[in-house]
Amino acid sequence: GQNIDQPTEMTATEGAIVQINCTYQTSGFNGLFWYQQHAGEAPTFLSYNVLDGLEEKGRFSSFLSRSKGYSYLLLKELQMKDSASYLCAVSRNTPLVFGKGTRLSVIA
Amino acid sequence: GAGVSQTPSNKVTEKGKYVELRCDPISGHTALYWYRQSLGQGPEFLIYFQGTGAADDSGLPNDRFFAVRPEGSVSTLKIQRTERGDSAVYLCASSLIRGDRGRNTEAFFGQGTRLTVV
């Protein structure tokens, strides 16, 4: 089976940096995805890591350590529109398995 | 179409009734996935199609749930004898190809069907 853990809620200030952690346990690994989901909307793709290291895409970066079963999503220069749930998802040779998501609130 | 389309967007049904939820994936996407999402939870995998066949249906909770994709494009999720516990948002996603070991392709999600069983 697979266990994916991420914090339930986080709050951060507009303009700041926030790091959302994700730990996972799986017997096989094909990659780790991060999705963003605004309330009442579909999840949208943010990033994909299959090798160790940092992937940077504008204000968003994602890091992976396969040996530690650990990933994080880093959001810089936070904006109010970044208030959403952030879903960590692990892939083996089966479809994506999602964590419960981290609800991020950005405050002024 | 431009994205994954799901209909209806909302469905209210009485306990014990039968419902069908439709998903129209992005044109050319061979992989199609159904997920279920309850409030405050992440999407829970139900079933995955590669072309017309169900490659993995291990997430279907019981035999009241069934899905088809007869022509390898549109898929229908069918729920018999609905129960109040079936109330959730049912999400459909599609991707280009399932991918070889070590590769995966991004899944695009539809807006979901909010099912309420009363």
Side-chain angles (χ1 to χ4, degrees):
Chain A
Q2 297 173 98
N3 291 321
I4 302 172
D5 291 312
Q6 45 182 135
T8 304
E9 292 187 15
M10 298 183 72
T11 302
T13 306
E14 191 177 16
I17 298 173
V18 71
Q19 178 175 310
I20 303 174
N21 295 325
C22 172
T23 58
Y24 63 90
Q25 296 173 326
T26 180
S27 56
F29 183 79
N30 271 355
L32 189 140
F33 289 78
W34 284 95
Y35 277 78
Q36 179 190 58
Q37 187 176 28
H38 285 98
E41 298 184 10
T44 55
F45 171 80
L46 287 178
S47 69
Y48 170 58
N49 294 70
V50 65
L51 300 176
D52 289 354
L54 189 68
E55 294 281 343
E56 297 188 78
K57 190 186 295 186
R59 294 190 299 113
F60 291 51
S61 303
S62 57
F63 172 83
L64 176 67
S65 168
R66 288 173 296 170
S67 62
K68 295 181 180 178
Y70 168 68
S71 172
Y72 67 72
L73 180 70
L74 194 71
L75 293 77
K76 304 176 187 175
E77 301 169 15
L78 279 173
Q79 303 174 8
M80 301 299 286
K81 67 178 182 179
D82 297 329
S83 293
S85 286
Y86 291 86
L87 302 165
C88 172
V90 171
S91 180
R92 298 169 59 195
N93 278 329
T94 50
L96 292 178
V97 177
F98 285 86
K100 294 184 177 182
T102 298
R103 188 162 54 250
L104 174 66
S105 298
V106 180
I107 59 176
Chain B
V4 178
S5 175
Q6 291 188 244
T7 53
S9 55
N10 280 283
K11 176 71 177 178
V12 181
T13 191
E14 292 180 348
K15 179 176 177 296
K17 298 290 188 182
Y18 167 82
V19 295
E20 288 190 352
L21 312 179
R22 175 189 167 106
C23 172
D24 205 333
I26 293 173
S27 178
H29 281 194
T30 58
L32 185 146
Y33 315 85
W34 282 100
Y35 286 84
R36 176 169 70 174
Q37 188 173 26
S38 300
L39 194 64
Q41 302 293 314
E44 171 194 4
F45 167 70
L46 295 176
I47 187 170
Y48 150 60
F49 288 90
Q50 181 62 272
T52 60
D56 184 349
D57 64 357
S58 62
L60 294 177
N62 52 59
D63 61 7
R64 295 187 298 105
F65 288 74
F66 188 70
V68 296
R69 195 186 184 198
E71 297 178 358
S73 179
V74 171
S75 177
T76 305
L77 178 66
K78 308 180 181 193
I79 310 174
Q80 299 177 321
R81 304 182 305 279
T82 51
E83 300 177 357
R84 292 196 178 86
D86 299 335
S87 297
V89 175
Y90 289 80
L91 294 166
C92 176
S94 69
S95 63
L96 267 172
I97 56 172
R98 180 59 188 88
D100 300 325
R101 180 181 287 275
R103 284 184 56 229
N104 262 295
T105 58
E106 172 191 348
F108 295 83
F109 282 83
Q111 294 293 317
T113 294
R114 181 176 299 279
L115 175 66
T116 304
V117 182
V118 297

Coordinates of all heavy atoms in Angstrom, one line a residue, chain A residues 1 3 5 8 12 14 25 31 35-36 38 41 44 46 48-50 52-54 58-59 65-66 70 86 100 104:
Chain A
G1 N 0.8 -1.2 0.0 CA 0.0 0.0 0.0 C 0.9 1.2 0.0 O 2.1 1.2 0.0
N3 N 1.2 5.2 1.9 CA 0.8 6.2 2.9 C 1.4 7.5 2.4 O 2.6 7.6 2.1 CB 1.3 5.9 4.2 CG 0.6 4.6 4.8 OD1 -0.6 4.5 4.6 ND2 1.3 3.8 5.5
D5 N 1.5 11.6 3.7 CA 1.2 12.5 4.7 C 1.6 13.9 4.4 O 2.7 14.1 3.9 CB 1.9 12.1 6.0 CG 1.4 10.8 6.6 OD1 0.1 10.7 6.7 OD2 2.2 9.9 6.9
T8 N -2.4 19.3 7.3 CA -3.8 19.6 7.0 C -4.0 21.0 6.6 O -4.7 21.3 5.6 CB -4.8 19.2 8.1 OG1 -4.5 17.9 8.5 CG2 -6.2 19.4 7.7
A12 N -0.1 31.6 5.7 CA 1.1 32.4 5.5 C 0.7 33.8 5.0 O -0.4 34.0 4.6 CB 2.0 31.7 4.4
E14 N 0.9 37.2 2.7 CA 1.1 37.7 1.3 C 2.5 38.2 1.2 O 3.0 39.0 2.0 CB 0.1 38.8 1.0 CG 0.0 39.2 -0.4 CD -1.1 40.3 -0.6 OE1 -1.5 40.9 0.3 OE2 -1.4 40.5 -1.8
Q25 N 5.3 6.7 1.8 CA 5.8 5.3 1.9 C 5.2 4.5 0.8 O 4.0 4.4 0.8 CB 5.5 4.7 3.3 CG 6.1 5.5 4.5 CD 5.6 5.0 5.8 OE1 4.4 4.5 5.9 NE2 6.4 5.0 6.8
G31 N 7.2 8.5 -9.6 CA 7.3 9.9 -9.7 C 6.3 10.5 -8.6 O 5.4 9.8 -8.1
Y35 N -0.4 19.0 -7.2 CA -1.5 19.6 -7.8 C -2.1 20.7 -6.9 O -2.0 20.6 -5.7 CB -2.7 18.6 -8.1 CG -2.5 17.8 -9.3 CD1 -1.6 16.7 -9.4 CD2 -3.2 18.1 -10.5 CE1 -1.4 16.0 -10.5 CE2 -3.1 17.3 -11.6 CZ -2.2 16.3 -11.6 OH -2.0 15.5 -12.8
Q36 N -2.6 21.8 -7.5 CA -3.3 22.8 -6.8 C -4.8 22.7 -7.0 O -5.2 22.4 -8.2 CB -2.9 24.2 -7.3 CG -3.5 25.4 -6.7 CD -3.2 26.7 -7.4 OE1 -3.5 26.9 -8.6 NE2 -2.6 27.6 -6.7
H38 N -8.3 24.8 -6.1 CA -9.2 25.9 -5.5 C -10.5 25.3 -5.1 O -11.0 24.3 -5.8 CB -9.3 27.1 -6.4 CG -8.1 27.9 -6.5 ND1 -7.2 27.8 -7.6 CD2 -7.6 28.9 -5.7 CE1 -6.2 28.7 -7.4 NE2 -6.4 29.3 -6.3
E41 N -13.2 23.6 -7.4 CA -12.7 23.4 -8.8 C -11.9 22.1 -8.9 O -11.6 21.5 -7.9 CB -11.8 24.6 -9.1 CG -12.6 25.9 -9.1 CD -11.7 27.1 -9.6 OE1 -10.6 26.9 -10.0 OE2 -12.2 28.3 -9.4
T44 N -5.4 21.1 -10.6 CA -4.6 21.5 -11.7 C -3.1 21.2 -11.5 O -2.6 21.4 -10.3 CB -4.7 23.0 -12.1 OG1 -4.4 23.8 -11.0 CG2 -6.1 23.3 -12.6
L46 N 0.8 21.2 -11.1 CA 1.8 22.2 -10.7 C 3.2 21.7 -11.1 O 4.0 22.4 -11.7 CB 1.8 22.5 -9.2 CG 0.7 23.4 -8.7 CD1 0.8 23.5 -7.2 CD2 0.6 24.7 -9.4
Y48 N 6.1 18.0 -11.3 CA 6.4 16.5 -11.4 C 7.9 16.3 -11.1 O 8.7 16.9 -11.7 CB 6.0 16.0 -12.7 CG 6.4 14.6 -13.0 CD1 6.0 13.5 -12.2 CD2 7.2 14.3 -14.1 CE1 6.4 12.2 -12.4 CE2 7.6 13.0 -14.3 CZ 7.2 11.9 -13.5 OH 7.6 10.7 -13.8
N49 N 8.2 15.5 -10.1 CA 9.6 15.1 -9.8 C 9.7 13.6 -9.9 O 8.9 12.8 -9.4 CB 10.0 15.5 -8.4 CG 10.0 17.0 -8.2 OD1 9.0 17.6 -8.2 ND2 11.2 17.5 -8.0
V50 N 10.7 13.1 -10.7 CA 11.0 11.7 -10.7 C 12.4 11.4 -10.2 O 12.7 10.3 -9.7 CB 10.8 11.1 -12.1 CG1 11.8 11.7 -13.1 CG2 10.8 9.6 -12.1
D52 N 15.8 12.9 -7.8 CA 16.1 13.7 -6.6 C 16.5 15.1 -7.1 O 17.2 15.3 -8.1 CB 17.3 13.1 -5.8 CG 16.9 11.8 -5.1 OD1 15.7 11.5 -5.2 OD2 17.7 11.2 -4.5
G53 N 16.1 16.1 -6.3 CA 16.5 17.4 -6.5 C 15.4 18.4 -6.6 O 14.2 18.0 -6.3
L54 N 15.7 19.6 -7.0 CA 14.8 20.7 -7.1 C 14.4 21.0 -8.5 O 15.2 21.1 -9.4 CB 15.4 21.9 -6.5 CG 14.5 23.1 -6.2 CD1 13.5 22.8 -5.1 CD2 15.4 24.3 -5.8
G58 N 9.0 29.2 -12.1 CA 8.4 30.5 -11.7 C 8.4 30.6 -10.2 O 9.5 30.4 -9.6
R59 N 7.3 31.0 -9.6 CA 7.2 31.2 -8.2 C 7.1 29.8 -7.4 O 7.2 29.8 -6.2 CB 6.0 32.0 -7.8 CG 6.1 33.4 -8.3 CD 4.9 34.3 -7.7 NE 3.6 33.8 -8.1 CZ 2.7 33.3 -7.2 NH1 3.0 33.2 -5.9 NH2 1.5 32.8 -7.6
S65 N 13.3 13.9 -2.4 CA 14.4 13.0 -2.0 C 13.8 11.6 -1.9 O 13.0 11.3 -1.0 CB 14.9 13.4 -0.6 OG 15.7 12.3 0.0
R66 N 14.2 10.7 -2.9 CA 13.6 9.4 -2.9 C 14.0 8.5 -1.8 O 13.3 7.7 -1.2 CB 13.9 8.7 -4.3 CG 13.2 9.3 -5.5 CD 13.7 8.8 -6.8 NE 15.1 9.1 -7.0 CZ 15.9 8.6 -7.9 NH1 15.4 7.8 -8.8 NH2 17.2 9.0 -8.0
Y70 N 10.5 11.8 0.7 CA 10.1 13.2 1.1 C 10.1 14.1 -0.1 O 11.0 14.1 -1.0 CB 11.2 13.6 2.2 CG 11.1 15.1 2.5 CD1 10.1 15.7 3.2 CD2 12.2 15.9 2.1 CE1 10.1 17.0 3.5 CE2 12.2 17.3 2.5 CZ 11.1 17.8 3.2 OH 11.1 19.1 3.5
Y86 N -3.3 22.1 -1.7 CA -2.2 21.6 -2.5 C -2.1 20.1 -2.2 O -1.9 19.7 -1.1 CB -0.9 22.3 -2.1 CG -1.0 23.8 -2.6 CD1 -1.6 24.8 -1.8 CD2 -0.5 24.1 -3.8 CE1 -1.7 26.1 -2.3 CE2 -0.6 25.4 -4.3 CZ -1.3 26.4 -3.5 OH -1.4 27.7 -4.0
K100 N -4.2 13.8 1.4 CA -5.4 14.5 1.8 C -5.4 15.9 1.4 O -6.4 16.6 1.4 CB -5.8 14.3 3.2 CG -6.1 12.8 3.6 CD -6.5 12.7 5.0 CE -6.9 11.3 5.3 NZ -7.4 11.1 6.7
L104 N -4.0 25.8 2.2 CA -3.2 27.0 2.5 C -4.0 28.3 2.4 O -4.8 28.5 1.5 CB -2.1 27.1 1.4 CG -1.2 28.4 1.5 CD1 -0.4 28.4 2.7 CD2 -0.3 28.5 0.2

